Amino acid sequence: MDAARETVTVYAGDRLGDYSFGDDHPFGPWRYTSFLARFHQLGLDRHCRIAQPVMAKRAEIERFHTAEYIDRVAQASLTGVGYLDNGDTPAFAGVYEAAARVVGTVLQAVADLINGETRRAFVPIAGLHHARRDAAAGFCVFNDCGVAIETLRSDHGLGRIAYVDIDAHHGDGVFYAFETDPDLAIADIHEDGRYLYPGTGAASETGKGDARGTKLNVPMPPGAGDRSFFEAWEYVEAFIDKAQPEFIIFQCGADSLAGDPITHMAYTSEAHRHATVRLCDLADRHCQGRLLALGGGGYNLGNLAEAWCAVVGAMIEVEA
């Protein structure tokens, strides 16, 4: 196997950190720098290829989002006034460019994985899984996950794709956009929606029509820890293995760790490490190694840095 195929790539660069909503917002500017500091402190950068952020073209964003919604974000980006949803996601000057850079960076990671430039990829500021095709939601302006899925189909001709989400919040923007899509396997472990935004993701939601049975929701009780996660993961792993995907997208939000200020879960970073190791194995088995990890949520800076570094570390260890 050539050297490129052994590579883990982390997409970093200060402009990626432009996607934030200010010091007083949970999705603030220090999330990216906290991860980067720990990433360098642990020496993970010595074992990774580092790539710069890329701006998405509007036509690429339109693969998932409506033109009317994109216009609305572009207009709000000029004024920086108001909210893009009902109060969670404020506009700011340059929000369009910041959100488009998240999408473009994820699409670059997709292309690098498909073209054999790298074997695994991690984008820390990404995994904005609440945005709908026609609306912002839950700190998410453009849904880079959804754009990536549509791009894997339209540009790269892949049929079977798996989306795995361990963020404490249900990935509703992805789930409902593809609820009737039988070729997208979704497995989502999240805090029970009876206790946490967005209030969705019941175990009974398994897809609709021809897609029934291609979606797996695993709601977890508040306070669930690593042991509960490892038990739930067995179902997720068997589900994804059965789907035999050609590409795996992993939304590895860190807000499921104990001590997050807006959720009620109690994992440690070992949950993220375990999930990554097992997904690397599935990717090797079914996807020519192609695994794309997206940072997602996480609002305790120490937790976020530890969980995301555990993901990158697990990718590197699998390659060693």
Side-chain angles (χ1 to χ4, degrees):
M1 190 172 292
D2 63 43
R5 296 295 286 165
E6 294 292 339
T7 303
V8 174
T9 300
V10 173
Y11 294 79
D14 291 343
R15 299 308 303 272
L16 193 60
D18 289 349
Y19 187 90
S20 74
F21 301 98
D23 290 341
D24 297 329
H25 192 279
F27 204 120
W30 304 112
R31 299 173 77 253
Y32 172 74
T33 54
S34 295
F35 159 71
L36 203 64
R38 186 62 173 155
F39 175 69
H40 289 299
Q41 182 184 33
L42 292 173
L44 296 174
D45 55 311
R46 297 196 297 270
H47 305 282
C48 297
R49 171 178 173 258
I50 308 297
Q52 292 298 307
V54 176
M55 180 80 73
K57 300 179 177 66
R58 177 179 171 125
E60 294 172 325
I61 301 170
E62 286 182 348
R63 292 171 188 161
F64 182 84
H65 290 289
T66 65
E68 293 78 10
Y69 172 59
I70 296 171
D71 286 343
R72 194 156 72 247
V73 175
Q75 183 60 39
S77 188
L78 296 176
T79 64
V81 175
Y83 283 84
L84 296 168
D85 57 7
N86 294 322
D88 288 328
T89 314
F92 58 87
V95 64
Y96 176 92
E97 290 76 15
R101 192 171 289 109
V102 172
V103 173
T105 304
V106 170
L107 293 186
Q108 184 62 54
V110 166
D112 288 348
L113 286 159
I114 292 293
N115 296 332
E117 292 299 318
T118 193
R119 188 166 177 77
R120 326 278 195 210
F122 177 67
V123 186
I125 306 300
L128 306 178
H129 61 171
H130 294 307
R132 305 180 181 100
R133 291 188 185 270
D134 62 353
F139 314 160
C140 303
V141 177
F142 294 144
N143 193 321
D144 53 287
C145 316
V147 178
I149 292 163
E150 297 288 11
T151 299
L152 284 164
R153 266 82 181 271
S154 65
D155 281 27
H156 303 296
L158 297 192
R160 299 186 313 279
I161 300 165
Y163 173 79
V164 180
D165 191 325
I166 64 171
D167 193 289
H169 301 86
H170 180 236
D172 58 329
V174 178
F175 185 88
Y176 296 112
F178 297 98
E179 190 176 19
T180 61
D181 186 331
D183 293 323
L184 179 67
I186 295 179
D188 195 315
I189 304 178
H190 50 273
E191 184 175 338
D192 193 315
R194 291 175 294 177
Y195 309 102
L196 189 70
Y197 175 92
T200 55
S204 59
E205 296 184 84
T206 63
K208 290 184 176 179
D210 291 343
R212 191 174 301 279
T214 65
K215 320 298 181 218
L216 175 67
N217 279 301
V218 186
M220 305 287 280
D226 286 357
R227 181 174 178 179
S228 296
F229 178 84
F230 296 149
E231 291 173 355
W233 183 261
E234 295 300 315
Y235 296 99
V236 169
E237 188 169 335
F239 182 82
I240 298 300
D241 192 26
K242 183 178 179 181
Q244 298 184 345
E246 300 169 271
F247 194 103
I248 299 173
I249 298 172
F250 177 34
Q251 205 275 21
C252 51
D255 48 9
S256 48
L257 272 65
D260 191 274
I262 65 173
T263 72
H264 317 97
M265 305 295 278
Y267 304 162
T268 74
S269 60
E270 286 306 307
H272 286 63
R273 184 182 305 279
H274 179 76
T276 307
V277 169
R278 301 309 303 154
L279 286 176
C280 284
D281 182 65
L282 288 173
D284 287 342
R285 197 179 313 162
H286 300 297
C287 311
Q288 302 176 44
R290 299 179 297 215
L291 174 64
L292 171 60
L294 308 173
Y299 309 101
N300 175 307
L301 298 181
N303 283 353
L304 174 154
E306 292 299 326
W308 290 355
C309 285
V311 170
V312 176
M315 288 178 168
I316 293 168
E317 290 165 8
V318 166
E319 302 297 341

